[in-house]
Structures are given as structure tokens and as C-alpha cells.
Amino acid sequence: MNENYNDGVANFYRKKPIINSFQATKNVTSKEDLEYVDKFFFKEETQRQQDIVFAGAMDKKLSMKISIPYCNTLKSDYSVIIDNYLYSIFHIDPDKKKMKTYIYLEGERRIER
């Protein structure tokens, strides 16, 4: 069965090591603070009760669960921007049998272009 990944585009980034004058890592406020990695069309998945409980056990809030075509190169320390909103990845679940990867996202903030 072919999947349709037509709910939008997810852009994946890694955070640039930006340190302010106090030697503290700077919060991401714009795309300038990020290094582009890749982009995928995605399908927004239903958030099951067990997904919400899983997120809570990790002290996270599941804002969005998406799937993309199978990919095993993404890392959970990447950030995702969808419609100018920044999300952090807190879990990646590649499913080679279904040829798709599930990504669990926690919303952070609207981001400047």
C-alpha cells in the first residue's frame, strides 16, 4: 500500500553551536541559528493514548506525531520546522517493514524567517 505524505513539508535542522558572552548556549529564535539537514513531505498521524502516555513518561508533551518515508539517518537532537513553527524531536521510530519513520514532536515556539 502506498502512503500519501501530503499534509505538509517538515524541514530538519541541527542547532548551530552558538554561545553568548556568558558562555551559555543561545536559544534558537530564527533559522539563522540552525543548520539545514534535509526536508521531507509528511503525513500527520493520530496521537494514540499510548503515545501521549509515552510522551508524559519522558516528561514531554506530544504536540504532533508525523510519519515520513523510511529514513534511518535522522537524529533525535535535530529540530523540525513546520509552517514556521519550531519543534524538538523527542523520539524517532523507524519502521523498515512499513517503509516509514514515525517522529514524535514537542512544540517550542513560532520562529522568525
Side-chain angles (χ1 to χ4, degrees):
M1 181 174 126
N2 285 342
E3 288 286 335
N4 289 317
Y5 299 100
N6 57 5
D7 288 333
V9 177
N11 292 285
F12 291 80
Y13 297 85
R14 64 175 136 284
K15 293 177 183 170
K16 290 180 183 174
I18 302 167
I19 299 186
N20 65 20
S21 59
F22 299 108
Q23 299 300 310
T25 304
K26 182 182 175 221
N27 282 335
V28 174
T29 57
S30 74
K31 290 181 185 176
E32 304 288 318
D33 301 329
L34 299 165
E35 182 181 331
Y36 178 78
V37 176
D38 209 343
K39 78 175 175 183
F40 292 91
F41 290 98
F42 71 88
K43 175 183 176 186
E44 188 166 357
E45 297 285 345
T46 303
Q47 296 179 23
R48 304 169 301 172
Q49 183 63 32
Q50 65 196 57
D51 296 328
I52 295 166
V53 169
F54 172 72
M58 296 180 70
D59 202 25
K60 302 287 183 185
K61 182 182 184 311
L62 181 60
S63 301
M64 185 183 287
K65 178 183 173 184
I66 63 172
S67 63
I68 61 171
Y70 180 78
C71 177
N72 64 357
T73 59
L74 297 176
K75 298 182 178 161
S76 58
D77 64 345
Y78 287 174
S79 296
V80 178
I81 296 178
I82 299 172
D83 294 330
N84 290 321
Y85 200 86
L86 180 69
Y87 296 88
S88 59
I89 299 173
F90 67 87
H91 184 67
I92 299 173
D93 185 13
D95 187 337
K96 196 167 189 171
K97 186 177 179 184
K98 291 184 180 179
M99 292 307 292
K100 67 194 309 186
T101 298
Y102 297 96
I103 302 171
Y104 295 70
L105 303 171
E106 181 176 43
E108 290 189 19
R109 71 184 69 79
R110 185 148 295 284
I111 194 160
E112 299 170 16
R113 291 183 173 205

mmCIF file of all heavy atoms in Angstrom, residues 28-67:
data_model
loop_
_atom_site.group_PDB
_atom_site.id
_atom_site.type_symbol
_atom_site.label_atom_id
_atom_site.label_comp_id
_atom_site.label_asym_id
_atom_site.label_seq_id
_atom_site.Cartn_x
_atom_site.Cartn_y
_atom_site.Cartn_z
ATOM 1 N N VAL A 28 17.310 29.070 20.161
ATOM 2 C CA VAL A 28 17.022 29.257 18.743
ATOM 3 C C VAL A 28 15.853 30.224 18.605
ATOM 4 O O VAL A 28 14.787 30.010 19.182
ATOM 5 C CB VAL A 28 16.674 27.908 18.081
ATOM 6 C CG1 VAL A 28 16.234 28.113 16.644
ATOM 7 C CG2 VAL A 28 17.844 26.955 18.153
ATOM 8 N N THR A 29 16.068 31.307 17.857
ATOM 9 C CA THR A 29 14.988 32.275 17.635
ATOM 10 C C THR A 29 14.694 32.461 16.152
ATOM 11 O O THR A 29 13.662 32.993 15.791
ATOM 12 C CB THR A 29 15.330 33.641 18.255
ATOM 13 O OG1 THR A 29 16.560 34.099 17.707
ATOM 14 C CG2 THR A 29 15.424 33.556 19.763
ATOM 15 N N SER A 30 15.627 32.048 15.289
ATOM 16 C CA SER A 30 15.411 32.170 13.846
ATOM 17 C C SER A 30 16.142 31.041 13.130
ATOM 18 O O SER A 30 16.950 30.322 13.730
ATOM 19 C CB SER A 30 15.907 33.520 13.336
ATOM 20 O OG SER A 30 17.310 33.546 13.306
ATOM 21 N N LYS A 31 15.883 30.924 11.841
ATOM 22 C CA LYS A 31 16.549 29.892 11.043
ATOM 23 C C LYS A 31 18.052 30.131 10.968
ATOM 24 O O LYS A 31 18.812 29.204 10.686
ATOM 25 C CB LYS A 31 15.949 29.842 9.642
ATOM 26 C CG LYS A 31 14.541 29.287 9.618
ATOM 27 C CD LYS A 31 13.995 29.235 8.210
ATOM 28 C CE LYS A 31 12.545 28.783 8.225
ATOM 29 N NZ LYS A 31 11.952 28.808 6.888
ATOM 30 N N GLU A 32 18.484 31.367 11.234
ATOM 31 C CA GLU A 32 19.913 31.687 11.235
ATOM 32 C C GLU A 32 20.666 30.898 12.307
ATOM 33 O O GLU A 32 21.875 30.693 12.194
ATOM 34 C CB GLU A 32 20.121 33.189 11.482
ATOM 35 C CG GLU A 32 19.397 34.090 10.513
ATOM 36 C CD GLU A 32 20.007 34.070 9.128
ATOM 37 O OE1 GLU A 32 21.243 34.087 9.029
ATOM 38 O OE2 GLU A 32 19.237 34.027 8.156
ATOM 39 N N ASP A 33 19.950 30.479 13.352
ATOM 40 C CA ASP A 33 20.576 29.742 14.455
ATOM 41 C C ASP A 33 20.644 28.243 14.177
ATOM 42 O O ASP A 33 21.078 27.471 15.037
ATOM 43 C CB ASP A 33 19.778 29.962 15.751
ATOM 44 C CG ASP A 33 19.689 31.426 16.132
ATOM 45 O OD1 ASP A 33 20.631 32.186 15.814
ATOM 46 O OD2 ASP A 33 18.677 31.819 16.742
ATOM 47 N N LEU A 34 20.196 27.837 12.988
ATOM 48 C CA LEU A 34 20.093 26.424 12.654
ATOM 49 C C LEU A 34 20.854 26.107 11.373
ATOM 50 O O LEU A 34 21.013 26.955 10.508
ATOM 51 C CB LEU A 34 18.620 26.032 12.460
ATOM 52 C CG LEU A 34 17.720 26.220 13.667
ATOM 53 C CD1 LEU A 34 16.256 26.145 13.248
ATOM 54 C CD2 LEU A 34 18.031 25.179 14.726
ATOM 55 N N GLU A 35 21.290 24.865 11.274
ATOM 56 C CA GLU A 35 21.964 24.379 10.067
ATOM 57 C C GLU A 35 21.047 23.370 9.385
ATOM 58 O O GLU A 35 20.658 22.362 9.980
ATOM 59 C CB GLU A 35 23.282 23.708 10.457
ATOM 60 C CG GLU A 35 24.087 23.205 9.302
ATOM 61 C CD GLU A 35 25.370 22.516 9.764
ATOM 62 O OE1 GLU A 35 25.901 22.874 10.826
ATOM 63 O OE2 GLU A 35 25.803 21.596 9.058
ATOM 64 N N TYR A 36 20.697 23.647 8.134
ATOM 65 C CA TYR A 36 19.763 22.809 7.382
ATOM 66 C C TYR A 36 20.330 21.400 7.182
ATOM 67 O O TYR A 36 21.499 21.239 6.848
ATOM 68 C CB TYR A 36 19.463 23.458 6.029
ATOM 69 C CG TYR A 36 18.542 22.669 5.153
ATOM 70 C CD1 TYR A 36 17.177 22.672 5.380
ATOM 71 C CD2 TYR A 36 19.034 21.905 4.103
ATOM 72 C CE1 TYR A 36 16.314 21.936 4.572
ATOM 73 C CE2 TYR A 36 18.185 21.179 3.298
ATOM 74 C CZ TYR A 36 16.828 21.186 3.539
ATOM 75 O OH TYR A 36 15.987 20.460 2.747
ATOM 76 N N VAL A 37 19.464 20.382 7.370
ATOM 77 C CA VAL A 37 19.867 18.993 7.179
ATOM 78 C C VAL A 37 19.135 18.374 5.992
ATOM 79 O O VAL A 37 19.750 17.870 5.061
ATOM 80 C CB VAL A 37 19.610 18.144 8.450
ATOM 81 C CG1 VAL A 37 19.937 16.687 8.203
ATOM 82 C CG2 VAL A 37 20.403 18.676 9.629
ATOM 83 N N ASP A 38 17.796 18.402 6.025
ATOM 84 C CA ASP A 38 17.010 17.749 4.978
ATOM 85 C C ASP A 38 15.554 18.166 5.100
ATOM 86 O O ASP A 38 15.167 18.789 6.087
ATOM 87 C CB ASP A 38 17.108 16.224 5.133
ATOM 88 C CG ASP A 38 16.971 15.472 3.811
ATOM 89 O OD1 ASP A 38 16.489 16.066 2.821
ATOM 90 O OD2 ASP A 38 17.349 14.285 3.771
ATOM 91 N N LYS A 39 14.751 17.809 4.093
ATOM 92 C CA LYS A 39 13.316 18.062 4.189
ATOM 93 C C LYS A 39 12.565 16.854 3.657
ATOM 94 O O LYS A 39 13.065 16.128 2.788
ATOM 95 C CB LYS A 39 12.904 19.335 3.445
ATOM 96 C CG LYS A 39 12.800 19.211 1.953
ATOM 97 C CD LYS A 39 12.258 20.505 1.367
ATOM 98 C CE LYS A 39 12.267 20.426 -0.151
ATOM 99 N NZ LYS A 39 11.821 21.657 -0.764
ATOM 100 N N PHE A 40 11.375 16.634 4.216
ATOM 101 C CA PHE A 40 10.525 15.514 3.833
ATOM 102 C C PHE A 40 9.077 15.976 3.796
ATOM 103 O O PHE A 40 8.662 16.779 4.632
ATOM 104 C CB PHE A 40 10.619 14.375 4.864
ATOM 105 C CG PHE A 40 11.944 13.686 4.911
ATOM 106 C CD1 PHE A 40 12.934 14.117 5.766
ATOM 107 C CD2 PHE A 40 12.194 12.587 4.100
ATOM 108 C CE1 PHE A 40 14.161 13.477 5.824
ATOM 109 C CE2 PHE A 40 13.412 11.938 4.146
ATOM 110 C CZ PHE A 40 14.399 12.384 5.005
ATOM 111 N N PHE A 41 8.322 15.429 2.868
ATOM 112 C CA PHE A 41 6.876 15.554 2.938
ATOM 113 C C PHE A 41 6.425 14.628 4.049
ATOM 114 O O PHE A 41 7.022 13.567 4.265
ATOM 115 C CB PHE A 41 6.227 15.168 1.604
ATOM 116 C CG PHE A 41 6.485 16.161 0.520
ATOM 117 C CD1 PHE A 41 7.499 15.956 -0.408
ATOM 118 C CD2 PHE A 41 5.723 17.322 0.439
ATOM 119 C CE1 PHE A 41 7.745 16.893 -1.407
ATOM 120 C CE2 PHE A 41 5.966 18.262 -0.556
ATOM 121 C CZ PHE A 41 6.976 18.040 -1.480
ATOM 122 N N PHE A 42 5.388 15.028 4.788
ATOM 123 C CA PHE A 42 4.955 14.210 5.921
ATOM 124 C C PHE A 42 3.451 13.988 5.920
ATOM 125 O O PHE A 42 2.693 14.697 5.262
ATOM 126 C CB PHE A 42 5.403 14.829 7.248
ATOM 127 C CG PHE A 42 4.661 16.085 7.635
ATOM 128 C CD1 PHE A 42 3.474 16.021 8.356
ATOM 129 C CD2 PHE A 42 5.149 17.337 7.298
ATOM 130 C CE1 PHE A 42 2.789 17.170 8.713
ATOM 131 C CE2 PHE A 42 4.484 18.488 7.651
ATOM 132 C CZ PHE A 42 3.293 18.408 8.358
ATOM 133 N N LYS A 43 3.074 13.005 6.711
ATOM 134 C CA LYS A 43 1.671 12.716 6.996
ATOM 135 C C LYS A 43 1.492 12.897 8.500
ATOM 136 O O LYS A 43 2.285 12.370 9.286
ATOM 137 C CB LYS A 43 1.338 11.280 6.598
ATOM 138 C CG LYS A 43 -0.053 10.845 6.969
ATOM 139 C CD LYS A 43 -0.273 9.372 6.605
ATOM 140 C CE LYS A 43 -1.634 8.917 7.069
ATOM 141 N NZ LYS A 43 -1.798 7.477 6.856
ATOM 142 N N GLU A 44 0.494 13.662 8.894
ATOM 143 C CA GLU A 44 0.229 13.813 10.328
ATOM 144 C C GLU A 44 -0.509 12.575 10.803
ATOM 145 O O GLU A 44 -1.519 12.169 10.232
ATOM 146 C CB GLU A 44 -0.592 15.071 10.614
ATOM 147 C CG GLU A 44 -0.702 15.357 12.096
ATOM 148 C CD GLU A 44 -1.212 16.755 12.411
ATOM 149 O OE1 GLU A 44 -1.428 17.545 11.479
ATOM 150 O OE2 GLU A 44 -1.396 17.025 13.608
ATOM 151 N N GLU A 45 0.001 11.953 11.840
ATOM 152 C CA GLU A 45 -0.553 10.710 12.367
ATOM 153 C C GLU A 45 -1.446 10.983 13.568
ATOM 154 O O GLU A 45 -1.295 11.998 14.256
ATOM 155 C CB GLU A 45 0.578 9.759 12.790
ATOM 156 C CG GLU A 45 1.478 9.317 11.659
ATOM 157 C CD GLU A 45 0.851 8.289 10.743
ATOM 158 O OE1 GLU A 45 -0.189 7.687 11.111
ATOM 159 O OE2 GLU A 45 1.398 8.076 9.640
ATOM 160 N N THR A 46 -2.343 10.069 13.825
ATOM 161 C CA THR A 46 -3.203 10.148 15.003
ATOM 162 C C THR A 46 -2.368 9.946 16.264
ATOM 163 O O THR A 46 -1.501 9.076 16.300
ATOM 164 C CB THR A 46 -4.287 9.053 14.939
ATOM 165 O OG1 THR A 46 -5.020 9.223 13.735
ATOM 166 C CG2 THR A 46 -5.222 9.115 16.129
ATOM 167 N N GLN A 47 -2.641 10.761 17.275
ATOM 168 C CA GLN A 47 -1.951 10.609 18.553
ATOM 169 C C GLN A 47 -2.752 9.624 19.402
ATOM 170 O O GLN A 47 -3.824 9.949 19.902
ATOM 171 C CB GLN A 47 -1.841 11.952 19.263
ATOM 172 C CG GLN A 47 -0.992 12.950 18.523
ATOM 173 C CD GLN A 47 -0.913 14.288 19.241
ATOM 174 O OE1 GLN A 47 -1.113 14.375 20.437
ATOM 175 N NE2 GLN A 47 -0.607 15.333 18.494
ATOM 176 N N ARG A 48 -2.211 8.426 19.541
ATOM 177 C CA ARG A 48 -2.894 7.403 20.331
ATOM 178 C C ARG A 48 -2.673 7.684 21.819
ATOM 179 O O ARG A 48 -1.731 8.375 22.200
ATOM 180 C CB ARG A 48 -2.353 6.012 19.990
ATOM 181 C CG ARG A 48 -2.448 5.669 18.506
ATOM 182 C CD ARG A 48 -1.669 4.424 18.182
ATOM 183 N NE ARG A 48 -0.262 4.630 18.560
ATOM 184 C CZ ARG A 48 0.661 3.677 18.539
ATOM 185 N NH1 ARG A 48 0.362 2.457 18.160
ATOM 186 N NH2 ARG A 48 1.901 3.940 18.895
ATOM 187 N N GLN A 49 -3.537 7.131 22.640
ATOM 188 C CA GLN A 49 -3.405 7.301 24.095
ATOM 189 C C GLN A 49 -2.031 6.824 24.562
ATOM 190 O O GLN A 49 -1.392 7.477 25.375
ATOM 191 C CB GLN A 49 -4.527 6.549 24.823
ATOM 192 C CG GLN A 49 -4.521 6.725 26.333
ATOM 193 C CD GLN A 49 -4.757 8.160 26.775
ATOM 194 O OE1 GLN A 49 -5.469 8.906 26.114
ATOM 195 N NE2 GLN A 49 -4.138 8.558 27.870
ATOM 196 N N GLN A 50 -1.567 5.712 24.011
ATOM 197 C CA GLN A 50 -0.264 5.189 24.421
ATOM 198 C C GLN A 50 0.880 6.126 24.002
ATOM 199 O O GLN A 50 1.908 6.195 24.676
ATOM 200 C CB GLN A 50 -0.038 3.780 23.889
ATOM 201 C CG GLN A 50 0.057 3.677 22.386
ATOM 202 C CD GLN A 50 -0.113 2.258 21.885
ATOM 203 O OE1 GLN A 50 -1.113 1.611 22.142
ATOM 204 N NE2 GLN A 50 0.873 1.786 21.150
ATOM 205 N N ASP A 51 0.704 6.881 22.915
ATOM 206 C CA ASP A 51 1.715 7.874 22.510
ATOM 207 C C ASP A 51 1.777 9.013 23.520
ATOM 208 O O ASP A 51 2.857 9.484 23.879
ATOM 209 C CB ASP A 51 1.395 8.452 21.129
ATOM 210 C CG ASP A 51 1.445 7.419 20.016
ATOM 211 O OD1 ASP A 51 2.255 6.465 20.122
ATOM 212 O OD2 ASP A 51 0.675 7.566 19.051
ATOM 213 N N ILE A 52 0.612 9.457 23.982
ATOM 214 C CA ILE A 52 0.536 10.553 24.952
ATOM 215 C C ILE A 52 1.126 10.124 26.291
ATOM 216 O O ILE A 52 1.884 10.870 26.916
ATOM 217 C CB ILE A 52 -0.924 11.035 25.088
ATOM 218 C CG1 ILE A 52 -1.384 11.640 23.753
ATOM 219 C CG2 ILE A 52 -1.065 12.044 26.224
ATOM 220 C CD1 ILE A 52 -2.871 11.847 23.626
ATOM 221 N N VAL A 53 0.832 8.905 26.702
ATOM 222 C CA VAL A 53 1.387 8.372 27.953
ATOM 223 C C VAL A 53 2.909 8.229 27.831
ATOM 224 O O VAL A 53 3.652 8.584 28.744
ATOM 225 C CB VAL A 53 0.725 7.022 28.314
ATOM 226 C CG1 VAL A 53 1.459 6.331 29.452
ATOM 227 C CG2 VAL A 53 -0.742 7.230 28.652
ATOM 228 N N PHE A 54 3.364 7.732 26.687
ATOM 229 C CA PHE A 54 4.799 7.586 26.428
ATOM 230 C C PHE A 54 5.503 8.940 26.535
ATOM 231 O O PHE A 54 6.549 9.061 27.165
ATOM 232 C CB PHE A 54 5.000 6.976 25.032
ATOM 233 C CG PHE A 54 6.423 6.954 24.561
ATOM 234 C CD1 PHE A 54 7.348 6.087 25.109
ATOM 235 C CD2 PHE A 54 6.841 7.806 23.543
ATOM 236 C CE1 PHE A 54 8.663 6.065 24.668
ATOM 237 C CE2 PHE A 54 8.153 7.796 23.092
ATOM 238 C CZ PHE A 54 9.065 6.921 23.656
ATOM 239 N N ALA A 55 4.922 9.970 25.929
ATOM 240 C CA ALA A 55 5.499 11.313 25.988
ATOM 241 C C ALA A 55 5.568 11.802 27.433
ATOM 242 O O ALA A 55 6.584 12.348 27.870
ATOM 243 C CB ALA A 55 4.688 12.282 25.128
ATOM 244 N N GLY A 56 4.477 11.611 28.167
ATOM 245 C CA GLY A 56 4.443 12.032 29.567
ATOM 246 C C GLY A 56 5.503 11.342 30.402
ATOM 247 O O GLY A 56 6.115 11.953 31.284
ATOM 248 N N ALA A 57 5.757 10.071 30.120
ATOM 249 C CA ALA A 57 6.778 9.319 30.857
ATOM 250 C C ALA A 57 8.173 9.873 30.585
ATOM 251 O O ALA A 57 9.074 9.734 31.410
ATOM 252 C CB ALA A 57 6.719 7.846 30.476
ATOM 253 N N MET A 58 8.334 10.526 29.434
ATOM 254 C CA MET A 58 9.620 11.142 29.094
ATOM 255 C C MET A 58 9.643 12.617 29.508
ATOM 256 O O MET A 58 10.560 13.343 29.138
ATOM 257 C CB MET A 58 9.874 11.012 27.592
ATOM 258 C CG MET A 58 10.028 9.591 27.126
ATOM 259 S SD MET A 58 10.314 9.483 25.348
ATOM 260 C CE MET A 58 11.952 10.149 25.210
ATOM 261 N N ASP A 59 8.607 13.057 30.223
ATOM 262 C CA ASP A 59 8.454 14.447 30.649
ATOM 263 C C ASP A 59 8.378 15.392 29.440
ATOM 264 O O ASP A 59 8.951 16.477 29.434
ATOM 265 C CB ASP A 59 9.580 14.862 31.596
ATOM 266 C CG ASP A 59 9.189 16.053 32.451
ATOM 267 O OD1 ASP A 59 7.982 16.257 32.676
ATOM 268 O OD2 ASP A 59 10.100 16.799 32.883
ATOM 269 N N LYS A 60 7.668 14.934 28.408
ATOM 270 C CA LYS A 60 7.472 15.708 27.184
ATOM 271 C C LYS A 60 5.980 15.835 26.919
ATOM 272 O O LYS A 60 5.176 15.087 27.455
ATOM 273 C CB LYS A 60 8.116 15.008 25.973
ATOM 274 C CG LYS A 60 9.591 14.748 26.115
ATOM 275 C CD LYS A 60 10.378 16.016 25.986
ATOM 276 C CE LYS A 60 11.873 15.742 26.045
ATOM 277 N NZ LYS A 60 12.644 16.957 26.035
ATOM 278 N N LYS A 61 5.631 16.801 26.068
ATOM 279 C CA LYS A 61 4.248 16.966 25.627
ATOM 280 C C LYS A 61 4.213 16.691 24.134
ATOM 281 O O LYS A 61 4.917 17.345 23.371
ATOM 282 C CB LYS A 61 3.745 18.380 25.915
ATOM 283 C CG LYS A 61 2.297 18.575 25.514
ATOM 284 C CD LYS A 61 1.841 19.997 25.772
ATOM 285 C CE LYS A 61 0.380 20.208 25.465
ATOM 286 N NZ LYS A 61 -0.081 19.721 24.195
ATOM 287 N N LEU A 62 3.419 15.712 23.739
ATOM 288 C CA LEU A 62 3.312 15.368 22.328
ATOM 289 C C LEU A 62 2.451 16.400 21.623
ATOM 290 O O LEU A 62 1.244 16.451 21.794
ATOM 291 C CB LEU A 62 2.710 13.956 22.170
ATOM 292 C CG LEU A 62 2.559 13.446 20.744
ATOM 293 C CD1 LEU A 62 3.902 13.373 20.035
ATOM 294 C CD2 LEU A 62 1.889 12.081 20.752
ATOM 295 N N SER A 63 3.095 17.263 20.835
ATOM 296 C CA SER A 63 2.378 18.297 20.088
ATOM 297 C C SER A 63 1.927 17.776 18.734
ATOM 298 O O SER A 63 0.864 18.140 18.245
ATOM 299 C CB SER A 63 3.274 19.511 19.861
ATOM 300 O OG SER A 63 3.711 20.038 21.083
ATOM 301 N N MET A 64 2.761 16.931 18.124
ATOM 302 C CA MET A 64 2.447 16.413 16.799
ATOM 303 C C MET A 64 3.206 15.105 16.599
ATOM 304 O O MET A 64 4.344 14.964 17.040
ATOM 305 C CB MET A 64 2.858 17.433 15.732
ATOM 306 C CG MET A 64 2.465 17.055 14.325
ATOM 307 S SD MET A 64 3.040 18.242 13.074
ATOM 308 C CE MET A 64 1.942 19.604 13.371
ATOM 309 N N LYS A 65 2.546 14.173 15.939
ATOM 310 C CA LYS A 65 3.191 12.924 15.538
ATOM 311 C C LYS A 65 3.075 12.857 14.026
ATOM 312 O O LYS A 65 1.982 12.969 13.480
ATOM 313 C CB LYS A 65 2.497 11.730 16.187
ATOM 314 C CG LYS A 65 3.076 10.391 15.791
ATOM 315 C CD LYS A 65 2.271 9.263 16.428
ATOM 316 C CE LYS A 65 2.697 7.914 15.919
ATOM 317 N NZ LYS A 65 1.845 6.847 16.469
ATOM 318 N N ILE A 66 4.224 12.719 13.357
ATOM 319 C CA ILE A 66 4.216 12.675 11.896
ATOM 320 C C ILE A 66 4.905 11.403 11.422
ATOM 321 O O ILE A 66 5.651 10.764 12.178
ATOM 322 C CB ILE A 66 4.901 13.915 11.272
ATOM 323 C CG1 ILE A 66 6.379 13.989 11.652
ATOM 324 C CG2 ILE A 66 4.182 15.192 11.668
ATOM 325 C CD1 ILE A 66 7.172 15.073 10.922
ATOM 326 N N SER A 67 4.662 11.063 10.168
ATOM 327 C CA SER A 67 5.418 9.991 9.538
ATOM 328 C C SER A 67 5.970 10.526 8.228
ATOM 329 O O SER A 67 5.377 11.395 7.589
ATOM 330 C CB SER A 67 4.561 8.755 9.305
ATOM 331 O OG SER A 67 3.507 9.029 8.414
#
